[in-house]
Amino acid sequence: MRMTTSARNQIAEAISNPRRMATVERVVVIVAVGIFILLIPEFTTSRHLFLATVTGTTAIAVYGLAVIFGQAGILSLAHAGLWAIGAYTGAIFFREFGWSYWAVLPLGIIFSSIAAAMLAYPALRIRGHFFLIATFGFGELVRIVLENGGGFESGRRLGLIVQGGMPDFFGIGLQSANSIYYVTVAYLAIAIVTVYLIRRSGFGATMRAVRENEDLSESIGIHIARTKILAFTMSGAFTGAAGVHYAFLLKHIEPSLFGAQDGIELALMVLLGGAVPLLGPLLGASVVLFVPELPFADNPNFVQIAYGLALILLILLLPRGLVSGLKALYIEARDLLMRTFRSVREPPQTPTSEHT
Amino acid sequence: MEIFLQQVINGLSIGAVIALMALGVTLIFGLTGLVMFAHGELLVIGGFLAWFVTIQLSSSFWLGMVFAIVAVGLIGLALERGVFRFTFDSPINGFIVSLGLIIVLQHLLVELSPAGASIVDIPAPIGKVFDLGGARIPGTRVLVVGATLAVVAVMLWVIYRSSHGRALRASAIDRDTAALMGIPVRRYIMVVFLVGSLLAGLGGALMIGLFPIDPFIGGRFVIKAFAVALAGGLGNPLGAILAAFGLGLAEAMGTQYFQPEWSESYAFIVMIIILLVRPRGLLTGLQGPAAR
């Protein structure tokens, strides 16, 4: 009897304490999403499992974009190009020089980061949509270079084949689809935690300050150029890792996977899910990549048209993304529920005490 | 020498298509600050409508051209009314919306076009071939360059010499003050969308007279249009037109005398360099209402 009273008090206190409530809710959501992700191999076909693995890999690149867009407020259409740099670094060094997966992974991260840092230089001089145009140009340039350039004959339009590169992760016979999926999930978890840590760090605050007001943050001693370059470098690390993993996962990469159109698609994912919420990029990537699998979506043209319309409607109606929209909806519903719950439990005799 | 002359005409005719695009792009930007990337799709739709009318309905290229101009103009007007007017407060949202529109228009075109996603072509509208100092110059290219120059001349006259042009330029410099002076800025924005789209329709019809097109080449042309609009100073119509013909010539010469597979990348390289060195364009342009 006593136990139940104290338990009830605790629940009442938790409900009345919004901060603790928010923490509880967040933990519940993350645990639920985590369990769902881990259980995916139990109930999907092999085709969908592969798609889920691709989604996880893509989401890592989208998290890279979310770092600069969500924190520093800079949107880029060049991230498919950076992704390509990671993928081609992995593929070329694996094929031509016989490097292992573990050796090319850091190399891809480094190359992609360097390219991203170079991409940051225009961002120092040009802002807003001018920078977007420049990144669009960069993305197309990367594709043209991949199609024309390089001494790697098969690396041209036909693409590169990366056969049998997936290593045995930690000695657990990991050639099966399930194990590759779990490794990808582990990468994704690392990426999400990294984004979380970046956001919590002082540098995250610095980026947000630059996003909100460049002149003001410069006046209090924030080095704008260094902040932006560092933000891009970090972002490039994500795309580099995603690229290398992508190349080994797909076993065949070609320039048309990484054009400006794909840069737009990455931007769509980040806008769709929302760049600021922690699970936004993952939701965005999942929606964009899984919508074509829906039963009514047998005409690829309609799927593309639906994407485009979704993007337009989102920008016009829900500019902060799906996750924020869902959250607002949930909070609305919860508050409504709590209000009715409270008014039933304690009839409103004293309206003033209701706020305490 | 003959080859050189031929490449000059080739370059000018490509430059003409780019100039028609760039004029619309730079006018829309000047007035609204919107970077309208879906303009390339309007060009392609113009080309496909011209093809459809010329091949499927009648056999007259001229009818196809008129149809393309009118229809694309109306599409542009509808887009302004239905979509873009809600984004004028935040041009970056307008830009993202235009990216979404690219996807929508492209695939709608593939879905609705009788040819699907494949390449379409029409016979040369003017069969005659002129002989100029040994160089063989197809009549179609003369038509493209001539028509473009005529349209551009009219446009420039309207923009720089008429009272409407003065009102337009005033609105581009300062939208609010212009509105206070009694200029119906919103109506001018509508008209600029309409005119820009009419020009894109014309460009599309002329383009399919020049070479076969597929539904996915719009992006390539819009990026070129923006490159030259930037080079000429965004919001500066004369600069954009000069830069467009310059780029057309550079591409034609590059294809002939350098490595043809890289000629596609010139526009991007030029654009990125200009953005880096002179972010507001080579000639004096406008920053656009939002950037102020």
Side-chain angles (χ1 to χ4, degrees):
Chain A
M1 187 64 196
R2 236 186 180 181
M3 281 283 281
T4 50
T5 341
S6 79
R8 186 183 291 167
N9 285 343
Q10 268 177 10
I11 291 171
E13 195 196 306
I15 290 175
S16 62
N17 182 342
R19 280 193 72 138
R20 191 180 297 173
M21 183 78 180
T23 315
V24 170
E25 284 165 342
R26 195 170 297 158
V27 168
V28 167
V29 168
I30 288 174
V31 167
V33 170
I35 290 175
F36 175 74
I37 289 175
L38 289 176
L39 286 182
I40 280 180
E42 302 298 323
F43 58 82
T44 48
T45 60
S46 64
R47 176 187 154 74
H48 285 170
L49 183 63
F50 181 71
L51 189 61
T53 317
V54 169
T55 306
T57 315
T58 311
I60 296 171
V62 182
Y63 274 102
L65 185 54
V67 168
I68 56 163
F69 182 52
Q71 302 300 306
I74 306 171
L75 187 58
S76 149
L77 299 177
H79 268 59
L82 298 177
W83 198 15
I85 289 170
Y88 271 80
T89 306
I92 290 173
F93 276 80
F94 170 74
R95 282 166 51 94
E96 307 291 326
F97 307 116
W99 289 32
S100 74
Y101 176 90
W102 293 115
V104 294
L105 187 64
L107 199 68
I109 293 176
I110 291 170
F111 279 9
S112 183
S113 300
I114 292 173
M118 278 158 49
L119 189 63
Y121 274 96
L124 306 178
R125 285 186 61 98
I126 46 184
R127 311 224 170 115
H129 37 311
F130 289 94
F131 180 68
L132 271 183
I133 305 175
T135 58
F136 185 94
F138 177 89
E140 276 296 282
L141 265 183
V142 168
R143 188 182 58 79
I144 294 174
V145 168
L146 292 179
E147 278 183 356
N148 293 331
F152 307 101
E153 267 312 308
S154 58
R156 297 191 173 197
R157 283 164 207 279
L158 292 177
L160 286 171
I161 296 171
V162 189
Q163 193 61 51
M166 274 288 180
D168 274 0
F169 288 94
F170 312 111
I172 334 162
L174 282 185
Q175 297 289 347
S176 76
N178 274 16
S179 32
I180 292 175
Y181 174 76
Y182 284 122
V183 168
T184 310
V185 168
Y187 279 178
L188 184 63
I190 293 172
I192 295 177
V193 169
T194 312
V195 171
Y196 179 71
L197 293 178
I198 291 174
R199 262 171 44 173
R200 293 269 309 239
S201 71
F203 184 67
T206 310
M207 284 195 287
R208 288 192 293 278
V210 171
R211 176 187 70 190
E212 292 306 324
N213 191 331
E214 246 176 62
D215 297 335
L216 195 58
S217 26
E218 197 165 18
S219 76
I220 55 167
I222 291 174
H223 198 304
I224 303 283
R226 195 182 299 155
T227 308
K228 283 186 178 174
I229 292 172
L230 194 55
F232 267 85
T233 312
M234 290 199 299
S235 178
F238 285 85
T239 50
V244 172
H245 194 64
Y246 199 56
F248 281 82
L249 176 68
L250 289 192
K251 299 193 171 75
H252 175 255
I253 53 171
E254 55 186 37
S256 63
L257 288 171
F258 306 102
Q261 192 86 31
D262 305 272
I264 295 175
E265 207 166 282
L266 288 184
L268 169 61
M269 291 172 189
V270 99
L271 289 163
L272 197 68
V276 178
L278 209 50
L279 292 175
L282 180 59
L283 182 69
S286 311
V287 169
V288 169
L289 291 174
F290 269 96
V291 163
E293 293 298 310
L294 293 177
F296 62 82
D298 50 353
N299 183 336
N301 280 330
F302 286 143
V303 173
Q304 293 293 330
I305 293 168
Y307 281 168
L309 286 178
L311 184 61
I312 295 169
L313 288 176
L314 266 173
I315 289 296
L316 294 180
L317 305 176
L318 212 66
R320 303 175 114 209
L322 273 180
V323 169
S324 297
L326 288 176
K327 212 168 166 182
L329 203 71
Y330 165 74
I331 288 174
E332 196 92 333
R334 183 195 68 188
D335 288 354
L336 189 75
L337 218 93
M338 267 167 59
R339 266 201 304 276
T340 45
F341 173 66
R342 268 196 198 148
S343 59
V344 165
R345 211 178 53 170
E346 35 184 275
Q349 297 153 329
T350 48
T352 42
S353 69
E354 219 177 277
H355 288 284
T356 53
Chain B
M1 191 59 201
E2 292 85 48
I3 291 176
F4 178 77
L5 260 180
Q6 242 152 8
Q7 289 301 338
V8 167
I9 289 290
N10 285 351
L12 287 179
S13 51
I14 295 290
V17 176
I18 300 173
L20 289 172
M21 288 278 291
L23 199 52
V25 157
T26 206
L27 281 175
I28 291 174
F29 177 86
L31 212 51
T32 64
L34 169 69
V35 171
M36 167 67 172
F37 252 45
H39 215 70
E41 304 322 308
L42 296 181
L43 180 86
V44 174
I45 289 173
F48 267 79
L49 288 174
W51 164 79
F52 182 70
V53 173
T54 309
I55 299 294
Q56 311 273 34
L57 294 185
S58 68
S59 54
S60 158
F61 170 73
W62 311 106
L63 201 64
M65 190 168 88
V66 171
F67 184 74
I69 293 171
V70 173
V72 172
L74 291 178
I75 292 173
L77 189 64
L79 289 180
E80 195 270 341
R81 287 286 90 192
V83 182
F84 284 110
R85 70 173 157 143
F86 302 112
T87 68
F88 289 148
D89 299 330
S90 162
I92 193 134
N93 284 357
F95 174 72
I96 299 167
V97 164
S98 82
L99 294 182
L101 264 184
I102 292 181
I103 304 175
V104 172
L105 293 177
Q106 213 169 60
H107 292 88
L108 266 180
L109 183 62
V110 172
E111 186 63 32
L112 298 178
S113 153
S118 55
I119 297 171
V120 299
D121 196 9
I122 59 169
I126 296 180
K128 202 172 167 197
V129 176
F130 298 99
D131 196 334
L132 188 75
R136 294 169 56 75
I137 296 174
T140 311
R141 293 192 181 263
V142 177
L143 163 78
V144 168
V145 177
T148 303
L149 286 179
V151 168
V152 162
V154 171
M155 285 297 298
L156 288 180
W157 186 84
V158 170
I159 293 168
Y160 288 108
R161 287 284 178 269
S162 74
S163 61
H164 284 300
R166 191 155 50 238
L168 189 72
R169 281 177 291 136
S171 315
I173 291 167
D174 190 334
R175 210 154 69 185
D176 297 336
T177 312
L180 287 173
M181 297 295 157
I183 297 173
V185 176
R186 286 270 163 182
R187 203 175 303 159
Y188 273 104
I189 291 177
M190 252 172 75
V191 170
V192 158
F193 262 86
L194 175 66
V195 171
S197 311
L198 292 172
L199 294 177
L202 172 66
L206 294 178
M207 179 171 69
I208 195 162
L210 289 175
F211 48 81
I213 60 172
D214 68 63
F216 305 106
I217 64 163
R220 215 176 296 158
F221 276 89
V222 81
I223 198 82
K224 284 173 187 168
F226 266 99
V228 299
L230 277 170
L234 268 171
N236 179 342
L238 185 61
I241 288 159
L242 293 178
F245 283 109
L247 178 65
L249 286 175
E251 278 191 7
M253 296 305 155
T255 310
Q256 182 66 39
Y257 298 107
F258 300 105
Q259 286 162 312
E261 69 264 33
W262 290 99
S263 71
E264 206 190 313
S265 65
Y266 295 161
F268 302 111
I269 296 171
V270 167
M271 189 181 69
I272 290 177
I273 291 174
I274 290 175
L275 278 172
L276 281 177
V277 181
R278 280 188 63 107
R280 283 171 211 172
L282 281 183
L283 305 180
T284 319
L286 297 163
Q287 265 208 304
R292 253 198 315 275

